[in-house]
Amino acid sequence: KPTKHTQFLTSLHRTSFSETVVFAGAGPRELVFKQGGTGTGAVQWGSGQLLAHFLAREPQLRPLHELGCPLPADDTGDGDDGPQAIVPEGWAWAGQRVVELGAGLGLAATVVAMCGADIVTTDGVDDLIDQLQSNVDVNLGRQAEADGCDRQRNATAQLTPCEDTMSGVATRAGAAVAMLLPWGDEECTAAVKRRVLDFVEARGSSGAASAALTTVLVVADCVFGSDRRVHKQLVQTINS
């Protein structure tokens, strides 16, 4: 009888995989991804699947304590010892500016864009970026625009949100751009920031100077191994 371990090993040799994701208020959508290449991001990991399903199920990203997850008591000394809200009331994905680290094949990025957010989805392995962009484009119905284009065009083609071809998921799917981001690389980090700023300008927003440029960071099980240098580089990139 196949075990989860043997099933995962078998998946390493597949050239594609599909995932049915149920979106709140919109029902199931079957998403299809090519897989291959080098590094841990060349296949789909279970943690990324769990994250994608959670994001699709919770389009308003409710505070964790409302989902049954305990939070530490407030220690600010203001007398309120209850769990602290993580997102403001009425928060929604639409219009959020998202950066994903260690994206791999693009499952979570696709879900985020389908929920209406603009996302720069990144990975640290150079030969995965074109595949990542293509996977997101296919599932957002934008493959016709991406066919035959090089990476430079991929990096600029989807700055403006477009009508979602899968009505009911979001009124307008968000923009989605795949970029190389080795953790700790200051030049690549600066390039990602510039791309997020492009999102702001494309939507006609003017509050970027006073608000956080990136409003959501998406990460799932992105460290494989115990190399402390990698951990430090990840923290450096998050803090940037």
Side-chain angles (χ1 to χ4, degrees):
K1 182 178 179 179
T3 65
K4 289 184 178 180
H5 181 65
T6 58
Q7 289 173 345
F8 174 73
L9 292 178
T10 300
S11 74
L12 297 178
H13 302 284
R14 296 174 184 163
T15 57
S16 65
F17 86 99
S18 62
E19 185 79 10
T20 300
V21 178
V22 180
F23 289 81
R29 296 288 186 273
E30 184 176 6
L31 307 177
V32 181
F33 300 83
K34 292 180 181 179
Q35 67 177 28
T38 58
T40 55
V43 296
Q44 182 60 52
W45 295 81
S47 54
Q49 292 171 288
L50 290 174
L51 175 63
H53 285 284
F54 171 78
L55 297 178
R57 191 177 68 247
E58 296 291 338
Q60 293 185 320
L61 205 66
R62 289 185 293 154
L64 293 181
H65 64 275
E66 292 184 9
L67 302 174
C69 304
L71 293 178
D74 177 32
D75 58 359
T76 60
D78 60 5
D80 181 5
D81 293 329
Q84 301 302 295
I86 296 189
V87 294
E89 185 176 353
W91 188 96
W93 279 109
Q96 299 296 327
R97 300 181 294 275
V98 183
V99 171
E100 181 182 19
L101 303 180
L105 303 181
L107 174 57
T110 298
V111 170
V112 168
M114 290 175 72
C115 288
D118 297 332
I119 181 168
V120 177
T121 178
T122 72
D123 202 279
V125 179
D126 186 70
D127 68 1
L128 293 179
I129 304 304
D130 289 337
Q131 177 176 261
L132 172 58
Q133 183 73 62
S134 178
N135 280 340
V136 176
D137 286 342
V138 165
N139 289 292
L140 294 179
R142 299 169 177 166
Q143 185 57 37
E145 299 179 28
D147 279 340
C149 65
D150 58 22
R151 183 178 304 179
Q152 181 60 35
R153 182 179 169 191
N154 274 345
T156 58
Q158 299 296 346
L159 295 182
T160 304
C162 70
E163 294 298 331
D164 187 0
T165 57
M166 291 163 285
S167 133
V169 176
T171 304
R172 293 169 68 85
V177 175
M179 297 185 69
L180 178 68
L181 181 56
W183 300 334
D185 187 309
E186 294 182 0
E187 183 176 347
C188 287
T189 299
V192 168
K193 288 182 177 180
R194 289 194 296 270
R195 191 62 68 215
V196 175
L197 186 59
D198 288 340
F199 290 156
V200 177
E201 295 173 351
R203 285 187 178 266
S205 302
S206 60
S210 58
L213 186 61
T214 299
T215 57
V216 180
L217 184 69
V218 172
V219 188
D221 193 21
C222 61
V223 176
F224 187 84
S226 57
D227 188 339
R228 292 187 177 182
R229 292 173 300 175
V230 175
H231 297 172
K232 290 181 179 178
Q233 291 166 345
L234 173 59
V235 172
Q236 177 185 342
T237 300
I238 291 174
N239 288 336
S240 297

